[in-house]
Amino acid sequence: MTRRLLSAGFLFISSAAAAGGFQNGPQSARLLGLGGAATAYSRDASAIFYNPGILGHLDSLTHLSIGGMGTVRATSFLGADSRRETRQDLSVVPGGYLYLTHPISDRVKVGLSVNTPFSYNTKWPDAWEGRSVVRSASLQTVYVQPTAAFKVNDNFSLGAGFIYASGQLKQERSLGQYDDQRATARFEGRGNGIGYSLGMYGRTGEDLAFGISFRAPVTLKMNSGTATYQNIPALDAALYPASSKFTSQVELPSALAVGLADHMTERLLVTFDFTLTGWGRYDSLNFDTQTGPRVRSKRGYEDAMAFRVGGEYEVSKDLLVRAGVSYDESPVRDEFITPELPDGNRLGGSLGASLRLNRVMLDLGYSLDVVGQRTARVNRTQFQAPSIAGTYRTLVHTLAIGASYSFGSKN
């Protein structure tokens, strides 16, 4: 009875909370089907990215999990003055993951995760009315995390991981001060950064497990980006050189998560997660060029909360089905909504399944997020936050396919 009340209480607290931004969905087909509630989910190696402590309680087999995923944002914009609707060009944000774990002993296990947790890919028509703000923008990141965990006892384990992150940023916009729409500015840079991840996992009995994790923020330092300007009138050639080097930083957020996993019945596992994402450090995106004008873009993100609930049902020993729901609060404040990433509060639903074929498990997950309508208003006094007045509507589709394989012998 106490266990049931604890689970219900956690769900109530979570649903009272209000992490969107440019997070690239749960990093596994299994976790996508669960709605991303992974902090206390110990049935798959992919959970080590979200909670390194789980690694200590995986069985004494070597586990390999690989997969690919794709996300499509379908966004429309209705201009406040023009009353003209524009739709983004549909483009897939690619992603993928690899997880490998290996037991050193019954108490010590090591693992490696490679995934793509943050990304976006925005493309608007070349001649759309907001082209001087952005025509296209993209960010791709890869996190590599070697991880180790120690099982303190049968009910408790601790884990830690080192994060090496790399990323590529691209942005293009029209120079609206010129009549020639072909006058454009392009920025492209690569950078890397480091961080860490800590976690603990425990069980209070045969049916109830909990997890707490913290993933540190990462700063991608881009020290040799390239800015290029095309079709600039001859009179302004000195102001906008054909090419210039720039430096920039992309601030990726921290994440603090608490989760529960409860075996409601012998076949049904229910998971709950609450996450606080430290988006507040993403305050601006600046391009400090060696020659040519410097670009200052205010972002003004705020820390955001999310809750996720997932369920996994064992239909048979060879078939598992999953479903999940989530609510992610957007970190983007009203005054800083831009067409680069017109984010909003998200309500999501997901489905997934795993089919066992001998020692290989095939995984499939799909989610649909409905993003709350956002209305942007131009603040003439906020020159470092360029935008265009209008209303955005967005749907986000994510599909992931993977396979898992376990080998070795249990102790």
Side-chain angles (χ1 to χ4, degrees), residues 30-48:
R30 290 192 188 185
L31 302 185
L32 180 64
L34 278 174
T39 308
Y41 181 75
S42 61
R43 290 183 171 180
D44 187 62
S46 59
I48 68 174

Side-chain angles (χ1 to χ4, degrees), residues 3-220:
R3 174 170 58 82
R4 298 287 183 260
L5 291 175
L6 179 58
S7 297
F10 185 86
L11 175 60
F12 174 79
I13 293 171
S14 297
S15 61
F22 45 87
Q23 293 188 82
N24 190 27
Q27 294 294 292
S28 159
R30 290 192 188 185
L31 302 185
L32 180 64
L34 278 174
T39 308
Y41 181 75
S42 61
R43 290 183 171 180
D44 187 62
S46 59
I48 68 174
F49 173 71
Y50 293 95
N51 183 358
I54 287 174
L55 177 59
H57 263 78
L58 294 182
D59 58 35
S60 297
L61 296 174
T62 297
H63 298 277
L64 173 65
S65 179
I66 59 175
M69 58 193 302
T71 299
V72 175
R73 294 176 63 96
T75 299
S76 65
F77 171 80
L78 181 64
D81 298 323
S82 68
R83 307 308 299 170
R84 184 168 61 243
E85 184 179 64
T86 304
R87 295 184 179 275
Q88 271 188 19
D89 297 339
L90 290 181
S91 57
V92 177
V93 179
Y97 58 88
L98 179 150
Y99 301 98
L100 178 64
T101 69
H102 181 72
I104 302 299
S105 68
D106 180 59
R107 288 183 177 270
V108 178
K109 297 181 177 69
V110 295
L112 175 70
S113 74
V114 181
N115 50 27
T116 55
F118 300 99
S119 63
Y120 59 88
N121 189 12
T122 301
K123 292 183 179 180
W124 294 97
D126 287 347
W128 87 293
E129 60 186 293
R131 58 188 176 274
S132 62
V133 180
V134 67
R135 274 182 174 166
S136 64
S138 66
L139 175 69
Q140 296 286 342
T141 65
V142 176
Y143 272 38
V144 180
Q145 180 184 307
T147 305
F150 177 73
K151 184 168 72 172
V152 179
N153 54 45
D154 289 342
N155 293 319
F156 188 73
S157 59
L158 301 171
F162 169 80
I163 296 172
Y164 174 81
S166 63
Q168 180 179 32
L169 175 71
K170 296 180 181 179
Q171 191 179 103
E172 177 182 321
R173 62 183 174 86
S174 174
L175 296 175
Q177 65 268 41
Y178 302 117
D179 293 332
D180 189 349
Q181 294 184 10
R182 299 175 302 163
T184 58
R186 293 189 178 94
F187 302 88
E188 182 173 352
R190 294 177 178 271
N192 51 68
I194 59 175
Y196 61 89
S197 181
L198 304 173
M200 65 178 184
Y201 172 82
R203 298 185 300 198
T204 61
E206 290 297 322
D207 296 335
L208 185 64
F210 66 91
I212 302 174
S213 68
F214 175 76
R215 187 168 64 249
V218 173
T219 299
L220 295 180

Side-chain angles (χ1 to χ4, degrees), residues 320-334:
L320 298 170
V321 294
R322 302 178 186 89
V325 294
S326 61
Y327 180 80
D328 289 347
E329 182 186 34
S330 173
V332 184
R333 292 153 53 184
D334 288 344

